[in-house]
Amino acid sequence: MRAVSIVFLSILACAPAAHAGPWPDLAEAPRSKTREGARDAALIVAIEDYAHVPDVRGARRNAADWRAWLRARGVTEIEVLQDADAWHRFDADGQPLGILSRLDRMAAKVKPGGTLWFVFIGHGAPVVVRKDDATGSKSGVEPVLLAHGVRQTADGLRADGISLDAQILPRLRPKARGARSVAVLDTCFSGKDTAGRAVVPKLQPLIVAGSSAVPAGVTLLSAAKGDQFAGPLPGLGRPAFSYLALGALRGWADDDGDGNVTANEVRQYVEDALYRVVKDRTQTPDAQGEVAAALARVAEAAPDLAAIAQALTPTRPVAPRDDFEARLAEATAGAAAVDTTGMSPLDAEMARLAAQQAERQRIEREEAERKAREEAERQRRLAEAAEAERQARERAMALHTADVDAKWAKVKAVARDPAKGVRAVEAFVGFYAAHPLGNPRQAEAEALKTKLEATLEAEAARAHAAEVERAWALTKKVAKRGGPEGKKALELFLKQYADHPRGNPKSDEAQSMLWDLGGGGGGRGKAGIEWVRIPGGSFRMGSTKGGSDEKPVRTVRVGDLALSKTEVTVGQYRACVDARACTAPDTGTYCNWDKSGRDDHPINCVDWEQASAFAKWAGGRLPSEAEWEYAARSGGKSREYPWGDQKADCSRAVMDDGSGNGCGKGGTTFPVCSKPAGNTAQGVCDMAGNVWEWVADWYGPYGEAPNDGSARTRTAQFRVGRGGGWNNAARGLRAAHRSGRSPGGRRINLGFRVARATP
């Protein structure tokens, strides 16, 4: 079994370390009953007090919270390096000392099936590396972690900078069988402190070249993107990312409620929290590599981010008195002591006022001159910084462009073979996908990929069409003779290509012939409904993984049936309305009935009675709840979803998988059968997502439901809806998931499909 590594990046400078404000205190961690970390080992590096560069306030406190959580998980092999103990050097033989040697030692202590945890909270920076033929080093900008003794010079960065690509990532591979690594580095690599200033002025570029591709089995979570800088958490004053990431792992990020937290969930939670409470900067965490890997089992509810954000709303501060005013008052008061000997009272007062006036005017002139000098100096420094930034960007862009062009030349050479070329282009585009300087060959690469894919698709389509044509000639020969053999030949032919991604160009012809032969569920019916035959059988209905209404799991027998391949479409429902057998659905912003171009979308905004009327007109009925789940499990198989146990996403269903409602398109359905990868084994479309589907049953506990596959007829408040819709997450799309719906409700995410008995 390969090793899996997960990396969090979290390097920054922060404000005071003490716990305060509305955020939960993480010093006490709930103990794991299973002691899941008993086979783990951990190295925590926290550099709060740097020797020569700005401090990272709160790093030690965050490190202590991480240590407490790891110990609560059952981790006993934990080593902590703080401040001066966190150094980096190599001995005379080139062997690493300090942080890297400790990382090697802890990696060796990981037991089979365990996890190596590496937590780093400190500074990070980019270092320009130029090609050296003598050493073989490559040109580019390299991200490094900064050890305690780093100095504010270019040589200091190179001496005390630990390369993420060359020195950290290769060590995140414990030798123990089945082990993985979780490295937590709370950082950005822009080389900036919390005020956005360079840690090493005038030496670091303001942009960072993309790091090497993350190795297989490694998940990399970073605290900020591009030239952003990572800062403290408002209301707490400690490094934001490492605090929030730890909270996320304790359970705050378990958005789908499955009891586990993945790297993607950590990133999404931290991004949401930072967006809500951070107002002085943009800080966007990033995730790369094995982002779907589960990092921890969870036990803790999340704090109310909205309430925390409200508590952190600042009040308007009272401006302090200008120092100039104090200086002016002091000086003019002294000027009042003038010699008034022999003067009348009026003349003496006038003399004092004149002296005060002269002194005030002198001070005002000096103050104006001082401010002018300061402004001129500020503008000069800004101009110098802008010019240095421009030059740094130009140098980095030149190096980056040369690197891109060299790789692009190799890709074009490989592309002479279309199949290899597509893979090469994908690797090329993916390599630079998150690079802050972008990919100057992106448009050319996408155009080449499109051309190569079209070539491959045309070749595959021709081969598939020829194969289907040969199979159809044999099938049709047998089918024309009729009898049970003809029916069987047609059924085998349809089944052969039911799940094929390029479909079956002879499907309509074969299904029509099967219908003429009385093939029991194949062919097309009224309004062009395409029927799919589902052989009956027994299955285990319900689930122990969902809500209480999915229990108890019990054995149910379902007879043979034919089910409409698609959810009933707008066009099919219109035929029933035109025949005056159905009433019109509701209209509105998200209803499909009155929208042009949606005849192939599922009908929605219909109630249960309207669905039943259509089913009767079409020569069928609504399926029972048992029949629906049996079909959604691809004929009663032990599956979470119609396609298997893989978690639902937008490659298989019209849903919200984190990209937004309707796979990011907002409040809308998709044309039916838009996601063929999500079909059942029998070729039935959209049984997960797009729209919920009315079934025949009244909603109630399974203890009162029949076991013969028929509908539950005992009257209740609600009817049953199944399958989930375009605005549901994966949990709502499971084959066993149930929902009670008011029979008279006409919902924007609810439609239906029809069933009928087979001859």
Side-chain angles (χ1 to χ4, degrees):
M1 180 181 291
R2 67 176 180 173
V4 178
S5 303
I6 300 101
V7 181
F8 294 78
L9 297 175
S10 143
I11 303 172
L12 64 146
C14 310
H19 181 83
W23 296 99
D25 189 347
L26 303 184
E28 296 293 332
R31 291 201 169 272
S32 169
K33 296 180 180 180
T34 61
R35 297 186 65 78
E36 57 185 313
R39 294 171 291 182
D40 300 354
L43 173 64
I44 304 173
V45 179
I47 311 177
E48 180 164 331
D49 184 13
Y50 273 90
H52 306 290
V53 299
D55 292 342
V56 181
R57 301 291 185 183
R60 290 193 294 262
R61 180 66 182 274
N62 278 11
D65 290 349
W66 273 93
R67 183 176 184 273
W69 180 71
L70 289 167
R71 289 182 65 85
R73 286 169 52 88
V75 183
T76 57
E77 298 289 349
I78 305 176
E79 187 163 355
V80 180
L81 300 179
Q82 295 186 160
D83 298 338
D85 292 334
W87 53 281
H88 168 62
R89 284 291 184 272
F90 290 89
D91 64 16
D93 296 326
Q95 296 300 310
L97 303 172
I99 293 174
L100 291 180
S101 66
R102 300 297 180 89
L103 184 56
D104 289 337
R105 184 165 70 182
M106 299 313 292
K109 293 186 177 183
V110 178
K111 298 174 183 177
T115 300
L116 170 63
W117 295 84
F118 174 50
V119 182
F120 185 101
I121 310 174
H123 283 305
V127 174
V128 175
V129 180
R130 301 192 181 281
K131 186 172 182 180
D132 186 337
D133 293 333
T135 63
S137 63
K138 297 181 179 179
S139 301
V141 183
E142 181 178 51
V144 298
L145 315 181
L146 301 184
H148 170 266
V150 65
R151 294 180 178 274
Q152 290 187 313
T153 65
D155 291 340
L157 284 182
R158 295 187 181 93
D160 286 284
I162 306 173
S163 170
L164 176 64
D165 300 336
Q167 295 171 331
I168 296 294
L169 293 180
R171 286 178 161 81
L172 299 178
R173 297 175 179 175
K175 295 181 179 179
R177 181 178 178 83
R180 67 175 184 177
S181 297
V182 179
V184 180
L185 316 168
D186 186 344
T187 188
C188 64
F189 288 114
S190 63
K192 297 180 181 180
D193 64 13
T194 51
R197 299 167 300 196
V199 175
V200 181
K202 300 183 181 180
L203 289 177
Q204 293 138 297
L206 297 180
I207 34 79
V208 183
S211 62
S212 300
V214 177
V218 175
T219 299
L220 189 64
L221 279 169
S222 52
K225 292 183 177 179
D227 63 354
Q228 298 174 353
F229 62 92
L233 188 63
L236 188 64
R238 287 156 52 183
F241 185 74
S242 53
Y243 173 87
L244 292 172
L246 176 57
L249 290 171
R250 289 167 61 127
W252 302 355
D254 186 22
D255 185 56
D256 59 6
D258 64 355
N260 292 293
V261 172
T262 68
N264 244 343
E265 288 176 320
V266 171
R267 178 194 62 77
Q268 291 173 354
Y269 178 82
V270 176
E271 181 176 348
D272 181 51
L274 291 174
Y275 177 79
R276 287 171 179 259
V277 303
V278 173
K279 306 302 180 184
D280 62 344
R281 66 184 185 274
T282 298
Q283 182 178 339
T284 309
D286 194 19
Q288 304 175 61
E290 302 279 349
V291 297
L295 307 185
R297 300 187 183 94
V298 302
E300 187 172 322
D304 187 339
L305 291 178
I308 291 175
Q310 181 65 32
L312 294 175
T313 302
T315 57
R316 184 182 298 275
V318 178
R321 185 183 181 191
D322 194 326
D323 289 341
F324 166 69
E325 296 294 336
R327 179 180 168 216
L328 181 62
E330 181 180 353
T332 54
V338 297
D339 186 5
T340 59
T341 304
M343 295 183 183
S344 68
L346 177 60
D347 290 345
E349 182 62 24
M350 290 299 178
R352 282 193 292 271
L353 289 175
Q356 288 178 353
Q357 184 181 55
E359 181 66 11
R360 179 181 57 77
Q361 291 174 343
R362 181 187 66 79
I363 291 174
E364 287 176 344
R365 284 195 304 273
E366 290 179 354
E367 181 67 15
E369 291 170 357
R370 181 185 65 79
K371 289 183 176 179
R373 288 194 300 273
E374 289 180 350
E375 177 61 20
E377 177 63 17
R378 189 180 73 84
Q379 293 296 334
R380 185 187 66 78
R381 291 178 179 175
L382 287 174
E384 279 187 0
E387 178 61 19
E389 179 176 349
R390 185 190 65 78
Q391 292 179 4
R393 288 182 182 276
E394 286 183 352
R395 289 193 297 270
M397 190 65 185
L399 291 170
H400 175 64
T401 301
D403 178 62
V404 172
D405 287 347
K407 289 183 172 64
W408 178 238
K410 294 179 180 179
V411 170
K412 289 195 293 185
V414 173
R416 295 188 185 98
D417 180 326
K420 293 180 180 178
V422 169
R423 294 193 294 271
V425 172
E426 288 175 344
F428 174 76
V429 171
F431 187 80
Y432 294 107
H435 200 290
L437 291 180
N439 183 350
R441 299 288 186 179
Q442 178 80 19
E444 289 179 69
E446 291 176 351
L448 178 58
K449 182 184 177 186
T450 299
K451 181 179 178 181
L452 295 173
E453 287 178 336
T455 300
L456 290 173
E457 178 59 28
E459 292 175 354
R462 284 194 296 270
H464 177 64
E467 177 191 335
V468 173
E469 192 65 44
R470 287 193 298 270
W472 176 236
L474 295 173
T475 302
K476 188 162 58 172
K477 185 177 180 180
V478 176
K480 283 183 176 180
R481 297 171 185 159
E485 296 82 6
K487 295 178 185 178
K488 184 65 174 178
L490 290 166
E491 289 170 352
L492 289 173
F493 175 76
L494 290 169
K495 183 178 180 181
Q496 176 69 24
Y497 299 105
D499 295 325
H500 199 286
R502 292 182 179 83
N504 182 350
K506 297 295 183 180
S507 176
D508 287 351
E509 190 175 349
Q511 288 174 335
S512 178
M513 186 176 288
L514 182 60
W515 186 264
D516 292 340
L517 293 177
R524 292 183 182 272
K526 190 177 289 188
I529 293 175
E530 185 175 352
W531 296 99
V532 176
R533 183 178 183 275
I534 312 292
S538 297
F539 78 112
R540 297 286 287 169
M541 185 174 179
S543 174
T544 60
K545 299 179 181 179
S548 59
D549 63 346
E550 297 176 22
K551 305 178 183 71
V553 178
R554 68 198 199 285
T555 299
V556 177
R557 173 72 187 178
V558 172
D560 294 349
L561 74 148
L563 199 64
S564 60
K565 180 176 181 178
T566 73
E567 292 162 331
V568 172
T569 66
V570 173
Q572 290 169 341
Y573 194 87
R574 182 174 286 109
C576 184
V577 173
D578 291 344
R580 299 185 178 181
C582 295
T583 58
D586 279 359
T587 59
T589 302
Y590 299 111
C591 294
N592 289 334
W593 178 246
D594 59 341
K595 304 297 187 301
S596 62
R598 294 197 186 178
D599 270 12
D600 59 350
H601 283 237
I603 191 66
N604 60 356
C605 302
V606 292
D607 59 35
W608 189 89
E609 291 294 343
Q610 289 176 302
S612 295
F614 177 94
K616 182 178 180 180
W617 172 79
R621 55 177 172 76
L622 294 179
S624 72
E625 190 176 14
E627 289 173 333
W628 191 98
E629 184 170 329
Y630 181 84
R633 292 180 180 271
S634 289
K637 294 182 173 61
S638 179
R639 292 183 171 187
E640 283 287 298
Y641 302 94
W643 54 84
D645 292 327
Q646 299 90 342
K647 187 176 179 180
D649 60 30
C650 280
S651 69
R652 295 185 173 91
V654 181
M655 59 177 294
D656 181 0
D657 64 353
S659 59
N661 289 341
C663 295
K665 291 189 176 181
T668 181
T669 57
F670 278 39
V672 295
C673 293
S674 292
K675 304 290 184 178
N679 290 0
T680 69
Q682 292 76 28
V684 182
C685 306
D686 297 325
M687 297 208 75
N690 218 2
V691 292
W692 289 82
E693 298 176 17
W694 287 115
V695 295
D697 300 56
W698 289 97
Y699 180 75
Y702 273 167
E704 301 172 5
N707 294 325
D708 61 357
S710 60
R712 182 179 186 271
T713 57
R714 182 177 178 181
T715 303
Q717 183 179 1
F718 301 111
R719 292 282 187 177
V720 177
R722 285 295 201 123
W726 47 263
N727 59 345
N728 291 105
R731 186 178 182 85
L733 272 63
R734 295 166 44 255
H737 188 69
R738 310 173 70 210
S739 178
R741 304 298 177 107
S742 173
R746 300 183 180 184
R747 303 174 67 93
I748 59 177
N749 63 350
L750 180 58
F752 65 98
R753 74 176 69 232
V754 294
R756 65 188 294 268
T758 59

